Amino acid sequence: MTTTTFYNHFADKYVLLASIYNKEIEPAFSQLGSKIIWRDALRIFCTTLSDKQSFFLNALKNTSGQNSFRYATNDYAIDLLRERLRILGKEDALPIEIDFLAKYYMRSVSEMIQDWFIGGQKIPLDNFIELLVLAMPGPLKKRLL
């Protein structure tokens, strides 16, 4: 692949790295509410990182800034959650409160998962998932749990 071809598909290497992760987690969102529950989705988000540990550790530790792997994966997950909530609620658009809480919660979840992963996964996975569920705002619990 030439440099020109690469940049026709990806803005930079961070977008490429994020794209790889995003493709892995995307099915969790599309199946949420029909084939899997939120806890299952959280497990997929965590195990996707763990299954390719050295690759994703490198991506998380060696990128920073607004166009980093973290931002690209967080923003993508937020968009996927918003869309899934809209579909599950059978709404043309999310109510402002739900939209805000989805962004707030998913950004927090993404950051916490990445910190948990970088920090050596000191909290056992099942306990960690329960903490993420516990932190979910009430209005989202009504829609996701």
Side-chain angles (χ1 to χ4, degrees):
M1 174 183 294
T2 67
T3 304
T4 305
T5 302
F6 175 86
Y7 285 109
N8 282 335
H9 297 283
F10 303 101
D12 56 34
K13 64 184 175 184
Y14 310 120
V15 174
L16 171 63
L17 296 173
S19 176
I20 292 167
Y21 178 76
N22 291 340
K23 291 283 184 218
E24 297 276 333
I25 67 162
E26 198 171 279
F29 284 101
S30 64
Q31 296 174 11
L32 185 60
S34 59
K35 295 182 181 179
I36 66 170
I37 61 173
W38 183 245
R39 282 176 177 81
D40 297 332
L42 290 170
R43 182 174 303 282
I44 290 167
F45 305 155
C46 293
T47 57
T48 296
L49 292 172
S50 298
D51 289 348
K52 296 181 178 100
Q53 188 165 348
S54 61
F55 176 80
F56 287 120
L57 269 176
N58 191 35
L60 284 164
K61 287 183 176 180
N62 296 307
T63 66
S64 63
Q66 191 170 3
N67 295 326
S68 71
F69 177 82
R70 284 183 97 119
Y71 273 90
T73 56
N74 289 354
D75 290 344
Y76 191 71
I78 289 166
D79 290 343
L80 290 173
L81 179 60
R82 284 171 157 165
E83 179 61 14
R84 194 63 189 161
L85 285 167
R86 188 191 64 71
I87 290 168
L88 290 171
K90 298 177 178 144
E91 300 163 307
D92 292 332
L94 286 177
I96 292 171
E97 177 191 22
I98 298 300
D99 187 65
F100 174 86
L101 291 173
K103 181 177 181 181
Y104 173 81
Y105 179 63
M106 196 66 233
R107 175 134 359 253
S108 298
V109 164
S110 294
E111 287 292 323
M112 292 304 297
I113 289 172
Q114 292 171 9
D115 288 347
W116 171 81
F117 179 66
I118 290 171
Q121 305 164 38
K122 293 179 181 151
I123 301 171
L125 180 59
D126 289 336
N127 295 8
F128 181 65
I129 288 170
E130 286 310 310
L131 290 171
L132 294 174
V133 169
L134 182 64
M136 184 185 293
L140 292 184
K141 284 182 180 180
K142 292 176 185 174
R143 290 171 173 250
L144 292 174
L145 296 182

